[in-house]
């Protein structure tokens, strides 16, 4: 019963924290990190154990699928060069710098363990970045670069992590034997993700019940991750390929009555997993902290602080070096097809450098270390310190930095919305143009009005709701009040009430599509 009470308390606290974060304009992962730290030092907090093997599958798989599902392949192609350098070079540089610093401060730390620590803290987190970036108005290209990086850098970091952990456990490494395995795992992960997605779509299209469909989505996500791990593939890459493939095929096959509740459940689940991750990791820290003496606590804190500074500085140095190099190349050789279409700016480089918040992937990777891993306590404490430090320092200062640099959203999405809206409503008008019915005439009048507004609104600033939607909402609200009176007076029973309530819910959703 105590465990259940704590779970309820944590969920209620997380809702309050989320509301406070929105009011203050602060990313909610920052508050969760602080809450996890405080929980670690509460003497009456429960001591819940988290199995290392469970951490990555439970916390990373669904969060990563949710982020990958919304990824734009077009934007990834347009920004392939900066995204690629951040995914591979920035992760590699950060891993190497952290390994050197950790080895220097802890001489008895094996190089393999030092590299594993570097890989754990190297990748900025998709959920943390998205939570922060959605609350600020960045130039579209910078936003897409950061989203692409936060999605794909987990794969490169966890690949290094897996190799380093394997070497630390077996104390043997041969590049000749590892290289073919790595290449096969990378290629196999992409192929497996694609095939799993095709198989999943064949199954999901046969399910019409909403709860069953959502359960199958989650079961499929965890199954894909588990199968990939059992096959020696990259769970990260497999999930990314799986999600992107589904995102390209599912919209045409999924009815709205399944899609609307599914999106709501996934959004809630991602939030819940972030809450549980920070709280559970905080609980893992307390026994570690309690079994250390004051000297060891000080030494570990110094290492954690040094690693935090290293990850921030390493990213800053690499991003600004890349920006400077690309600007020089574009000045020297002109705009080439293999360089970005727009030269990177100093302001953009500073923002990208400062968007290095770590989160759930770093925490999960640290907890996933084997119990007997060298200096596991130090690495877990350091990982949490880096997550806490980056979310508090960078998360709280990112919005003022963007304001000080004068960066603004260049509004390409709204222009694309206006263009696509006009084309879509022309298609809708063409479809019903030959229908002589009264209903078709009503729709033609509404769609013609929307088309006229879209053609006069190239920047997409006008809402896309139908002209009669405000009146529809008033009518639906009146119908709801009437329905409630009928139920309250006993004229109709609850079964009839709920059937009509669902009917009005769908009508209201339809009337709110452009709001």
């Amino acid at each position: 019963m105590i465990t259940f009470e704590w779970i309820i308390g944590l969920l209620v606290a997380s809702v309050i924290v989320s509301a406070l974060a929105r009011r203050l304009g602060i990313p909610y992962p920052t508050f969760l990190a602080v809450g996890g730290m405080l929980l670690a030092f509460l003497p009456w907090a429960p001591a819940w154990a988290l199995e290392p093997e469970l951490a990555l599958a439970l916390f990373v798989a669904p969060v990563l699928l949710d982020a990958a599902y919304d990824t734009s392949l077009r934007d990834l192609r347009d920004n392939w060069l900066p995204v690629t350098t951040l995914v591979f070079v920035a992760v590699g540089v950060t891993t190497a710098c952290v390994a050197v610093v950790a080895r220097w401060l802890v001489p008895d730390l094996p190089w393999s363990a030092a590299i594993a620590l570097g890989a754990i803290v190297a990748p900025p987190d998709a959920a943390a970045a998205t939570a922060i970036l959605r609350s600020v108005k960045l130039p579209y290209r910078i936003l897409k670069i950061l989203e692409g990086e936060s999605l794909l850098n987990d794969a490169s970091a966890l690949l290094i992590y897996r190799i380093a952990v394997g070497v630390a456990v077996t104390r043997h490494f041969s590049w000749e034997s590892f290289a073919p395995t790595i290449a096969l795992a990378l290629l196999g992960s992409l192929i497996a993700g694609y095939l799993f997605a095709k198989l999943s779509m064949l199954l999901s299209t046969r399910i019409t019940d909403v709860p069953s469909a959502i359960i199958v989505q989650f079961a499929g996500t965890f199954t894909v991750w588990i199968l990939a791990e059992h096959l020696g593939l990259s769970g990260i890459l497999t999930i990314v390929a799986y999600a992107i493939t589904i995102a390209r095929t599912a919209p045409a096959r999924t009815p709205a009555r399944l899609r609307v509740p599914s999106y709501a459940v996934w959004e809630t689940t991602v939030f819940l997993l972030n809450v549980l991750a920070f709280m559970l990791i905080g609980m893992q820290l307390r026994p570690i902290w309690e079994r250390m003496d004051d000297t060891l606590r000080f030494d570990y804190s110094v290492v954690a602080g040094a690693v935090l500074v290293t990850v921030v500085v390493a990213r800053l140095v690499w991003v600004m070096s890349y920006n400077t190099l690309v600007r020089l190349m574009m000045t020297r050789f002109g705009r080439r097809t293999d360089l970005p279409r727009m030269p990177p700016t100093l302001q953009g480089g500073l923002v990208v450098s400062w968007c290095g918040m770590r989160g759930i992937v770093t925490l999960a990777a640290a907890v996933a270390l084997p119990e007997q891993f060298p200096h596991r306590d130090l690495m877990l404490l350091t990982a949490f310190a880096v997550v806490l430090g980056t979310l508090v320092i960078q998360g709280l200062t990112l919005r003022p930095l963007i304001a000080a640099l004068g960066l603004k959203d260049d509004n390409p999405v709204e222009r694309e919305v206006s263009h696509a809206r006009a084309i879509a409503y022309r298609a809708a008008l063409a479809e019903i143009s030959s229908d002589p019915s009264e209903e078709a005439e009503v729709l033609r009048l509404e769609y013609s009005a929307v088309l006229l507004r879209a053609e006069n609104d190239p920047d997409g600033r006008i809402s896309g709701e139908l002209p009669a939607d405000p009146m529809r909402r008033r009518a639906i609200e009146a119908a709801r009040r009437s329905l409630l009176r009928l139920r309250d007076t006993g004229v109709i029973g609850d079964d009839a009430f709920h059937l009509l309530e669902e009917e009005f819910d769908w009508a209201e959703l339809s009337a709110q599509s452009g709001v």
Side-chain angles (χ1 to χ4, degrees), residues 228-296:
E229 292 294 313
H230 282 318
L231 293 173
L233 305 176
S234 166
I236 295 282
L237 275 182
T238 306
I239 285 290
V240 168
Y242 174 78
I244 291 177
T245 304
I246 287 181
R248 304 299 293 182
T249 56
R253 305 181 184 182
T254 306
R257 60 179 298 274
L258 292 181
R259 184 164 50 246
V260 172
S262 173
Y263 284 2
V265 171
W266 273 95
E267 184 177 358
T268 303
T269 301
V270 169
F271 174 74
L272 176 62
L273 288 175
N274 271 277
V275 172
L276 291 178
F278 283 101
M279 298 303 126
L280 286 173
I281 303 305
M283 293 176 183
Q284 314 305 305
L285 293 177
R286 192 178 69 184
I288 294 175
W289 190 259
E290 288 178 345
R291 61 175 172 256
M292 293 188 298
D293 56 33
D294 291 341
T295 301
L296 194 57

Side-chain angles (χ1 to χ4, degrees), residues 397-421:
T397 58
L398 181 59
R399 184 188 292 271
L401 175 64
I402 293 172
L405 294 175
L407 292 173
K408 297 180 180 179
D409 186 10
D410 44 1
N411 204 30
V413 175
E414 285 77 4
R415 291 193 292 272
E416 292 179 0
V417 165
S418 180
H419 177 66
R421 180 181 290 143

Side-chain angles (χ1 to χ4, degrees), residues 118-404:
I120 288 171
V121 300
D125 182 63
T130 301
I132 292 172
L133 296 176
R134 284 178 179 171
S135 66
V136 298
K137 293 293 185 180
L138 278 176
Y140 185 75
R141 181 169 175 270
I142 294 178
L143 182 64
K144 294 295 108 177
I145 290 172
L146 290 169
E147 287 180 352
E149 178 211 4
S150 64
L151 174 67
L152 298 174
N153 61 14
D154 297 334
S156 58
L158 290 183
L159 178 62
I160 300 172
Y161 167 85
R162 286 180 59 182
I163 296 173
V165 170
V167 172
V169 172
T170 63
R171 292 183 172 85
H172 173 72
F173 177 78
S174 170
W175 180 253
E176 291 76 11
S177 60
F178 262 89
T181 304
I182 295 171
L184 182 61
L186 294 178
L187 180 61
S189 299
L190 299 177
I191 296 174
Y194 175 81
L195 295 177
F196 285 147
K198 292 298 183 181
L199 183 62
S200 174
M201 289 306 302
L202 289 176
L203 174 63
S204 61
T205 51
R206 301 176 182 271
I207 301 175
T208 58
D209 177 62
V210 174
S212 299
I214 295 175
I215 290 172
V216 168
Q217 290 173 13
F218 282 98
T221 300
F222 290 119
T223 300
V224 167
W225 179 281
I226 293 170
L227 287 175
E229 292 294 313
H230 282 318
L231 293 173
L233 305 176
S234 166
I236 295 282
L237 275 182
T238 306
I239 285 290
V240 168
Y242 174 78
I244 291 177
T245 304
I246 287 181
R248 304 299 293 182
T249 56
R253 305 181 184 182
T254 306
R257 60 179 298 274
L258 292 181
R259 184 164 50 246
V260 172
S262 173
Y263 284 2
V265 171
W266 273 95
E267 184 177 358
T268 303
T269 301
V270 169
F271 174 74
L272 176 62
L273 288 175
N274 271 277
V275 172
L276 291 178
F278 283 101
M279 298 303 126
L280 286 173
I281 303 305
M283 293 176 183
Q284 314 305 305
L285 293 177
R286 192 178 69 184
I288 294 175
W289 190 259
E290 288 178 345
R291 61 175 172 256
M292 293 188 298
D293 56 33
D294 291 341
T295 301
L296 194 57
R297 288 174 182 172
F298 176 78
D299 292 341
Y300 279 16
S301 298
V302 169
V303 174
V307 170
L308 171 60
V309 172
T310 301
V311 298
V312 173
V313 173
R315 180 178 178 86
L316 178 66
V317 170
W318 164 249
V319 172
M320 299 312 295
S321 299
Y322 165 83
N323 274 19
T324 303
L325 178 62
V326 171
R327 286 199 302 271
L328 289 175
M329 291 178 66
M330 295 183 76
T331 302
R332 176 70 175 82
F333 301 107
R335 293 186 183 181
R336 301 277 297 278
T337 56
D338 56 342
L339 291 174
R341 291 176 293 176
M342 296 294 292
T345 63
L346 175 63
Q347 295 89 337
L350 289 173
V351 169
V352 172
S353 301
W354 206 241
C355 284
M357 292 74 64
R358 272 61 175 178
I360 194 170
V361 173
T362 292
L363 295 177
V367 175
L369 290 170
E371 290 289 351
Q372 303 304 318
F373 196 83
H375 293 276
R376 185 178 187 272
D377 289 355
L378 169 63
M379 298 175 74
L380 185 56
L381 184 66
T382 301
F384 192 87
V386 170
V387 171
L388 177 66
T390 54
L391 284 174
V392 171
I393 298 172
Q394 295 178 319
L396 295 181
T397 58
L398 181 59
R399 184 188 292 271
L401 175 64
I402 293 172

Side-chain angles (χ1 to χ4, degrees), residues 13 20 59 64 178 190 205 226 247 267 313 448 452 455 458 482 492:
L20 181 62
F59 294 126
L64 194 64
F178 262 89
L190 299 177
T205 51
I226 293 170
E267 184 177 358
V313 173
S448 296
L452 180 62
E455 291 175 338
S482 175
I492 62 173

